[in-house]
Amino acid sequence: MKVLLAHTPQMRRDYYGERSLNGLRAVAAVKLHAGDDALDAGALVDAARDVEIIVADRMTPGPGEIFPKLPKLRAFVRCAVDIRNIDVAAASAAGVLVTRASPGFVQSVAELAIGYMVDLSRGVSRATADYHAGRAPEVIMGRQLAGSRIGIIGFGSIGRYLAGLAKALGMEVLVADPFVTIDDASIQHMPLDDLLGRADYVVCLAIANEATENLIGQAALPRMQKHAFFINLSRGNLVDEAALAAALRENRIAGAALDVGRAPDQMPSPELAKLPNVIATPHVGGLTPQAIEHQSSETMRQVAAIIRGEAPDGAVNAESWTRRPETRA
């Protein structure tokens, strides 16, 4: 069976890796995308005409128009958790299986949140930039994490892991998530408005969907304390960037750290990233060898199951999969 690995060479190096690529080659004939730009709908159709499975990174969309044009295609395998740019309904109508990877970046993202909090509180990036530019950094009183309050918005796997790290550091943990029950008496579960008003660090880890679009915006930001910091490690869609920029410029909050935003590939927006009280990183929260290998090796196992005619873990529309390979006796 033939598989298209749709990652660009750079994305393949950063988000797939040689070990998983060799594993994929062990179970299928692999066609590699050689161009430096992500495949759009037309280019994806051209590249996948002769393949039965597409393994795609988050930059490669799966719009509805491609599925009727690829009659050989059996499955669209996403090497990421986020499948919002895949038209699952259209894939289902065509009988094409869609899968997603499970999160393997829990520790990686949570550790970055801790690093952000230390940097924001102690001016690490600011002082380093001054030294690099030959300037004497301003000496400013910092804040220690021990004894401070972290407010976690969204208590999924990353939020739970981060809460454990924060408690180990002596922080008071506040959580806003109306969809979970928290049995840990040391964690304070409360409405979002209350969390915003009490936390020294607000860490956004909520799921991006229609209900959370611009969750942090003109109504939410004024509720934060003036000395508080905002951290986004989820998706740019959760933030009204104009409102955040205004709050930062007017020093209504102390600063922000962003690994995501509304720029292409969920990168932080340059307009926000250049502000002096912002720390920004280029969507690297899950970019560690352990994190990327978790997801790439999972897609390898998914492909092997699909070839056997089995719906793997991570399938989102198995009930509509009519282009299933015939199971060999």
Side-chain angles (χ1 to χ4, degrees):
M1 195 170 287
K2 196 167 186 179
V3 175
L4 170 67
L5 187 60
H7 299 54
T8 65
Q10 181 177 349
M11 291 293 284
R12 196 160 62 241
R13 288 191 300 271
D14 291 346
Y15 289 98
Y16 210 80
E18 283 299 316
R19 184 152 67 170
S20 293
L21 177 56
N22 290 336
L24 192 62
R25 283 174 164 153
V27 298
V30 180
K31 179 179 181 180
L32 299 177
H33 170 42
D36 293 329
D37 297 323
L39 294 167
D40 60 16
L44 183 58
V45 169
D46 289 341
R49 289 189 190 280
D50 60 341
V51 307
E52 292 170 277
I53 300 172
I54 294 171
V55 177
D57 64 314
R58 64 177 185 252
M59 291 287 287
T60 306
E65 65 199 76
I66 72 169
F67 299 107
K69 297 177 181 178
L70 294 172
K72 292 184 178 181
L73 187 66
R74 298 182 185 274
F76 194 108
V77 175
R78 170 53 50 83
C79 187
V81 175
D82 193 346
I83 59 170
R84 286 177 299 159
N85 64 355
I86 302 174
D87 190 334
V88 177
S92 297
V96 175
L97 183 71
V98 176
T99 74
R100 71 198 317 166
S102 60
F105 43 73
V106 171
Q107 293 88 347
S108 177
V109 174
E111 289 174 10
L112 183 56
I114 299 294
Y116 276 161
M117 289 192 290
V118 172
D119 197 337
L120 288 165
S121 302
R122 309 304 289 270
V124 178
S125 293
R126 174 187 51 79
T128 299
D130 284 340
Y131 277 124
H132 287 175
R135 299 186 297 264
E138 182 181 3
V139 179
I140 299 175
M141 181 68 69
R143 169 184 286 275
Q144 67 182 31
L145 301 189
S148 296
R149 290 173 175 162
I150 180 174
I152 301 173
I153 305 173
F155 205 55
S157 53
I158 299 172
R160 291 192 296 272
Y161 188 82
L162 177 59
L165 296 180
K167 287 195 294 181
L169 290 169
M171 301 186 76
E172 186 178 341
V173 179
L174 318 178
V175 169
D177 189 329
F179 303 105
V180 300
T181 300
I182 300 175
D183 298 325
D184 188 338
S186 66
I187 294 175
Q188 301 176 56
H189 195 187
M190 62 187 61
L192 176 60
D193 287 351
D194 293 346
L195 179 148
L196 293 170
R198 295 180 58 190
D200 302 307
Y201 306 88
V202 174
V203 183
C204 188
L205 294 170
I207 294 171
N209 55 34
E210 291 183 4
T212 57
E213 184 78 16
N214 290 327
L215 179 69
I216 305 301
Q218 294 182 354
L221 289 164
R223 298 182 182 278
M224 289 180 60
Q225 302 181 86
K226 190 173 182 179
H227 72 264
F229 297 102
F230 174 71
I231 295 170
N232 191 10
L233 284 159
S234 178
R235 287 290 184 267
N237 309 63
L238 283 90
V239 177
D240 179 337
E241 294 195 338
L244 178 59
L248 290 164
R249 289 193 181 98
E250 297 165 11
N251 295 312
R252 288 188 274 115
I253 61 173
L258 310 169
D259 189 48
V260 291
R262 293 183 181 266
D265 194 24
Q266 280 288 325
M267 294 287 185
S269 300
E271 294 77 11
L272 275 171
K274 70 182 180 183
L275 296 177
N277 51 353
V278 170
I279 298 168
T281 49
H283 201 168
V284 297
L287 191 56
T288 64
Q290 299 94 326
I292 67 163
E293 188 162 286
H294 172 96
Q295 293 192 323
S296 62
S297 62
E298 186 171 3
T299 64
M300 177 191 69
R301 292 189 295 273
Q302 288 177 343
V303 167
I306 290 165
I307 292 171
R308 296 193 300 268
E310 303 169 2
D313 291 341
V316 300
N317 64 339
E319 70 285 350
S320 301
W321 188 25
T322 58
R323 295 191 190 175
R324 186 189 298 254
E326 293 183 6
T327 304
R328 295 178 177 86

